[in-house]
Amino acid sequence: MQKESPKSEIEQYVIKRVKEIRIEKGVSQAKLAHLIDLSVGFVGNVENPKHIAKWNLNHLEKIAKVLGVSMREFLPL
């Protein structure tokens, strides 16, 4: 039996979109962590669906700024 993710569907969607955009922009987890002043481990934990870590609005605002996108890019519309 597979254990459910500790993240909601919307949280998983946002995390997936951030990761997709990060990769499209050629930014590694380590580089993103440095740019938004977080640890590489935290960024990796956020992107791990089995881990409880997730982005908050402050994180998303910083990520949008460093990746040169609107925060809307992270949300399903």
Side-chain angles (χ1 to χ4, degrees):
M1 185 171 165
Q2 185 176 0
K3 188 176 178 184
E4 280 190 41
S5 172
K7 299 170 186 167
S8 70
E9 281 187 43
I10 185 71
E11 290 166 338
Q12 290 176 50
Y13 180 91
V14 169
I15 291 164
K16 180 181 173 200
R17 283 297 297 147
V18 169
K19 182 178 179 179
E20 289 170 349
I21 294 168
R22 173 182 69 71
I23 291 169
E24 286 171 12
K25 300 279 185 173
V27 177
S28 67
Q29 286 183 349
K31 180 70 173 175
L32 180 63
H34 173 75
L35 291 171
I36 63 173
D37 199 29
L38 291 172
S39 72
V40 177
F42 180 79
V43 174
N45 286 340
V46 169
E47 291 186 2
N48 179 345
K50 295 179 182 175
H51 201 281
I52 195 166
K54 49 194 151 193
W55 301 124
N56 66 35
L57 291 175
N58 293 323
H59 296 146
L60 293 174
E61 181 179 36
K62 290 178 183 179
I63 293 167
K65 189 173 186 177
V66 300
L67 295 180
V69 299
S70 166
M71 284 179 60
R72 291 183 193 149
E73 295 290 323
F74 305 141
L75 303 173
L77 297 176

